[in-house]
Amino acid sequence: MENEVKLIVKWNCKEYEIDALSDNDSVGTLKDVIFKKTGVRPERQKLLNLKFKGKLPDNDCLLAALNLKSGFKVMMMGSLEEAIADANTIPDDLPEVIDDFDIEDGEEVAIENRDVYLAKIDRRIKEYTIKILNPPRPGKKLLVLDIDYTLFDHKSVAEKGYELMRPYLHEFLTSAYKDFDIAIWSATSMRWIEEKMKLLGVSSHANYKIVFYLDYLAMISVHTPKYGVIQVKPLGVIWGKFPNEYRQSNTIMFDDIRRNFIMNPQNGLRIRPFRQAHLNRATDRELLRLTRYLDAIAPLEDLTQLNHRHWERYVSNRRKELRRQRRSGGTGGGTAGGDVESSSQDNSSP
């Protein structure tokens, strides 16, 4: 006897109901139905959380073998043919760095200290549950990382997930783990975060561990006169949850959108977004350079004394200082920031 299979496919921030299937249909048939609903060709579809014996099922695999519950959400990656054609053409007017809106210094101070937003943070501390994946390590600082466009190009087309992974990701995380506990905070659902971390091989890597994930539910909304209501990632939620381990002085956040750390501007570093992976992965060195920065600042007692907008200058000045020390017979063990903190020039773009 055939049983009706009802699924929901989540793709491109939209959900599509699939109800014209039975458990005797195959995964290939499911992909054909998804094609009719979304326009994404079957060979372009990657159904991330469909698993058969721990692996992605073949097209011939029957849906009955997957033991899917009614209403199961299938998360799909894939691109339309016209999107692929556009992605393979570099626009003539594409800037070297794709920038988001900037945040005024005065506005940052006004927002981060407002009682109404501090009350929202307190509510998140009390109500939001953090699942600890690996316990915090005594004496380690905290590195908080975004996913989309920071570690992963989530909109480009690829046959395999690692092709969308930012170059040097595992080398970067392995090096950072020496001095920093690592947390992931994405403005998506927890289920999506877990799938992405599995896809990238982050959740099971032998050389580093992730302490916890945070999703969109840990974020708060704030109102700014210039930009209206925006969603942000207040680090105070983490500090309130882990008062003995993490604080303002030992935390740094990497995100490709500056507004995400508007509540904690002294702790945020805007990373260049990793887009069009198939065009840029051969030349992207951002994580390699940021590895040097984290290595340089790890010995510092208070990270808020740095202006992270000028991280590249800090690294450059430190390397020059180390070369001078080697030439003069010094040990080269210090850190040199030069005029990083006092300069008013934003050196976050090349």
Side-chain angles (χ1 to χ4, degrees):
M1 179 179 177
E2 293 186 354
N3 294 316
E4 186 180 13
V5 176
K6 292 185 178 181
L7 303 173
I8 297 173
V9 173
K10 187 172 182 180
W11 171 73
N12 203 22
C13 300
K14 295 181 181 179
E15 294 186 351
Y16 300 84
E17 293 186 1
I18 308 293
D19 54 12
L21 295 169
S22 75
D23 58 3
N24 286 332
D25 286 318
S26 67
V27 172
T29 304
L30 169 61
K31 289 183 177 181
D32 289 336
V33 175
I34 293 174
F35 172 49
K36 293 176 182 178
K37 291 273 188 177
T38 66
V40 179
R41 296 181 63 84
E43 63 269 23
R44 299 290 186 189
Q45 297 173 23
K46 187 175 183 66
L47 307 180
L48 296 178
N49 56 332
L50 280 191
K51 292 289 189 292
F52 179 67
K53 295 183 178 179
K55 298 180 180 180
L56 293 177
D58 295 330
N59 287 339
D60 295 333
C61 180
L62 297 182
L63 298 181
L66 303 180
N67 298 317
L68 301 175
K69 295 181 179 179
S70 180
F72 180 78
K73 283 190 178 182
V74 179
M75 290 177 283
M76 183 179 80
M77 285 176 55
S79 297
L80 300 170
E81 297 303 300
E82 54 267 33
I84 295 170
D86 290 342
N88 281 281
T89 303
I90 302 177
D92 294 334
D93 58 348
L94 186 69
E96 188 169 359
V97 177
I98 303 173
D99 205 357
D100 58 279
F101 64 76
D102 205 351
I103 303 297
E104 303 293 338
D105 288 342
E107 190 175 21
E108 289 172 344
V109 174
I111 289 173
E112 65 177 332
N113 291 323
R114 286 184 181 173
D115 290 340
V116 62
Y117 303 135
L118 297 178
K120 288 185 178 183
I121 293 173
D122 286 339
R123 196 155 55 243
R124 294 292 184 275
I125 294 171
K126 294 175 183 177
E127 298 175 359
Y128 184 80
T129 300
I130 295 180
K131 179 183 177 182
I132 299 177
L133 305 176
N134 294 282
R137 297 170 297 162
K140 299 298 181 183
K141 294 178 170 63
L142 178 65
L143 171 64
V144 182
L145 297 170
D146 177 47
I147 300 177
D148 294 335
Y149 298 134
T150 297
L151 309 180
F152 178 79
D153 176 7
H154 75 117
K155 283 195 174 180
S156 290
V157 62
E159 293 184 1
K160 298 181 180 179
Y162 75 84
E163 296 177 6
L164 302 179
M165 179 175 71
R166 192 161 206 161
Y168 304 102
L169 173 60
H170 295 301
E171 293 87 347
F172 165 75
L173 293 176
T174 297
S175 178
Y177 189 66
K178 294 181 300 182
D179 301 295
F180 293 81
D181 284 340
I182 303 169
I184 302 293
W185 195 344
S186 176
T188 55
S189 70
M190 185 59 67
R191 190 171 184 176
W192 191 234
I193 294 171
E194 290 171 347
E195 288 297 330
K196 287 181 180 177
M197 294 298 96
K198 289 179 184 177
L199 183 69
L200 297 176
V202 169
S203 60
S204 58
H205 204 279
N207 294 336
Y208 58 83
K209 304 295 180 184
I210 305 300
V211 65
F212 54 78
Y213 302 145
L214 283 82
D215 63 3
Y216 73 99
L217 293 174
M219 300 173 69
I220 67 170
S221 60
V222 302
H223 179 270
T224 67
K226 188 173 181 180
Y227 311 112
V229 177
I230 57 176
Q231 296 292 319
V232 302
K233 301 175 181 178
L235 292 171
V237 174
I238 297 175
W239 300 333
K241 288 285 190 179
F242 301 91
N244 298 322
E245 292 85 6
Y246 310 127
R247 61 199 68 89
Q248 188 176 24
S249 62
N250 71 357
T251 304
I252 185 169
M253 172 189 279
F254 289 0
D255 203 302
D256 68 297
I257 300 176
R258 187 179 287 115
R259 67 175 180 267
N260 278 334
F261 47 80
I262 190 176
M263 292 289 293
N264 311 102
Q266 289 179 296
N267 297 91
L269 184 152
R270 182 184 177 273
I271 191 171
R272 291 180 179 85
F274 179 58
R275 303 174 189 264
Q276 296 185 306
H278 58 296
L279 297 177
N280 295 319
R281 61 174 169 254
T283 57
D284 188 280
R285 297 290 185 274
E286 190 81 346
L287 293 183
L288 205 58
R289 291 191 288 261
L290 283 166
T291 296
R292 301 187 187 107
Y293 184 59
L294 290 180
D295 183 60
I297 68 175
L300 302 180
E301 290 293 327
D302 187 356
L303 301 184
T304 63
Q305 299 303 310
L306 299 166
N307 185 338
H308 297 307
R309 291 193 181 191
H310 309 312
W311 67 269
E312 289 167 301
R313 187 182 304 167
Y314 187 96
V315 172
S316 176
N317 288 344
R318 181 173 184 266
R319 295 176 74 179
K320 291 177 183 177
E321 177 64 23
L322 291 175
R323 284 197 294 267
R324 283 196 295 268
Q325 290 178 353
R326 282 194 292 266
R327 286 196 296 267
S328 62
T331 62
T335 59
D339 61 351
V340 175
E341 298 164 27
S342 61
S343 174
S344 61
Q345 179 184 351
D346 188 344
N347 197 36
S348 59
S349 299

